[in-house]
Structures are given as C-alpha cells and as structure tokens.
Amino acid sequence: MMLGRFANVRPALDEDDTFLFEVFCTLWERETALMPNPQLVQHFLRIQYITAERRFQVRYPQLERFVVLSDGEAAGRIYLHRTPAMLQIVELTLLPAYRSRGLATALIRDVMAKAHQTGQLVSIRAERRSELAAAICERLGFRMVVVDDQDRFFEWSPPSDRSKDSAGPVTEGPQDRGTLSSHSVP
C-alpha cells in the first residue's frame, strides 16, 4: 500500500539511489569529518548504505521508500512500514538545507493522519542524544515506550484509541520500531 497521495513525497525509484545515498551520508557527517582520506570515506559510506538498505529490506519486506519533496525539489527520504496494527516511520532524514523548516513535522503529521484513518498506531525512533527529536515527538503527541542505550522509541495512538496510551510504563531494551534521526528533525 503506497502513501503516494502525500503532496510532499513521491515513491523512490531505482534512479533515486544516488540521491538516497547522498541523504544517508548526511547521517555520518560527524563520524567521518576527521577521516583524512575522502576516497576511504566514500567507500566506507557506500558499504554502510548498502548494509542499511539490505537490513531494511530483510527486516521490513513491505518497506515503502519515498523521496521527500520541498517545492518540487528532492529534500530527503522517508521509509515507512505497515502492519495491520502499526505504521512505522523506519527512517526520516532531510538534507541539511531543508532541516529546521517544519518539513519533518509536517511529514510526521501526514503519517499520523493516515494512521488515524485506518486506526493504526504510529511508531518512530529518536536517537537518545537528540533532545530536539525527542521533544518534537512528544510535542506531536507521541509517548516514549522504550529506551535503550542509543535510542528512544515512541508511539502515537489515534485519538479514538487513546486508552492504549496508559497501558504500561516505559521499558528498557531494544525494539523493532521506526527511526527519526537527530539529523532529520524539522
């Protein structure tokens, strides 16, 4: 099932691989900034990208990959996975020039609206080091359900299903949920 009805995304095509790789590379800027060999950095990043894409395909066989658009320009990527009960934001990353404009918030709200129509939960992961990403999730009505060494996992329930929000405390440990990187916040 596609989410192509969103005005600000389009399905990712095979031809978008170079762009999706470029977006992926922005997630590693801090880690690769001090590496002295640019060719080695590109090789390292390509291996990381291929590994991540394969992991997504194995973990989420029905993964829906989209290119995020801003005024018709490619601005980032959003990967979604549906189950009957949940709509997971597996990955949401924007290019640096498009961050802090409210675009990620608008995308998350679009996903929430779609999930509301179908009565699904929405899940997302925010890096633990990103207070901003966590604050955005909480501001949008997500509640933290799991915390591990690296991430915080959030869920949102449609208003008619809010009784589930009070079911249980935040737990510690890894979970298979979506992601909002610290680089992808609005």
Side-chain angles (χ1 to χ4, degrees):
M1 215 167 168
M2 300 297 283
L3 289 177
R5 286 183 245 168
F6 288 174
N8 50 357
V9 300
R10 67 166 174 75
L13 307 171
D14 290 340
E15 303 85 64
D16 293 315
D17 185 65
T18 300
F19 173 74
L20 297 174
F21 174 65
E22 177 185 339
V23 174
F24 173 83
C25 289
T26 67
L27 296 172
W28 290 84
E29 287 173 342
R30 279 184 279 188
E31 291 82 357
T32 59
L34 299 176
M35 293 177 80
N37 184 332
Q39 289 177 325
L40 183 60
V41 168
Q42 285 302 303
H43 181 70
F44 168 79
L45 291 172
R46 180 55 72 176
I47 290 169
Q48 293 298 318
Y49 174 72
I50 291 168
T51 302
E53 291 292 314
R54 286 182 182 160
R55 186 184 70 236
F56 288 151
Q57 289 299 327
V58 169
R59 188 174 290 169
Y60 309 105
Q62 301 301 318
L63 185 72
E64 299 174 58
R65 299 172 5 153
F66 297 93
V67 172
V68 176
L69 303 172
S70 178
D71 295 325
E73 297 292 319
R77 68 185 193 168
I78 183 168
Y79 293 180
L80 303 171
H81 180 256
R82 293 177 194 263
T83 67
M86 187 175 292
L87 182 51
Q88 294 176 282
I89 300 173
V90 175
E91 178 72 35
L92 171 55
T93 307
L94 300 175
L95 291 172
Y98 295 94
R99 296 176 190 157
S100 300
R101 294 183 175 187
L103 187 55
T105 298
L107 287 165
I108 295 167
R109 284 189 173 134
D110 285 349
V111 171
M112 293 165 68
K114 188 60 134 175
H116 180 86
Q117 292 173 356
T118 57
Q120 294 172 296
L121 294 173
V122 176
S123 71
I124 194 166
R125 174 182 59 87
E127 292 178 354
R128 197 166 184 170
R129 68 183 181 190
S130 177
E131 295 298 325
L132 181 57
I136 289 167
C137 289
E138 290 171 356
R139 185 184 78 227
L140 290 173
F142 285 79
R143 69 180 182 92
M144 189 169 32
V145 294
V146 176
V147 177
D148 69 18
D149 291 344
Q150 296 180 356
D151 302 303
R152 301 172 208 192
F153 299 88
F154 294 87
E155 287 184 354
W156 175 85
S157 303
S160 62
D161 199 16
R162 288 289 182 193
S163 61
K164 290 183 182 178
D165 280 355
S166 60
V170 172
T171 59
E172 294 278 339
Q175 296 290 321
D176 187 20
R177 306 203 186 260
T179 181
L180 170 69
S181 73
S182 62
H183 307 287
S184 60
V185 294

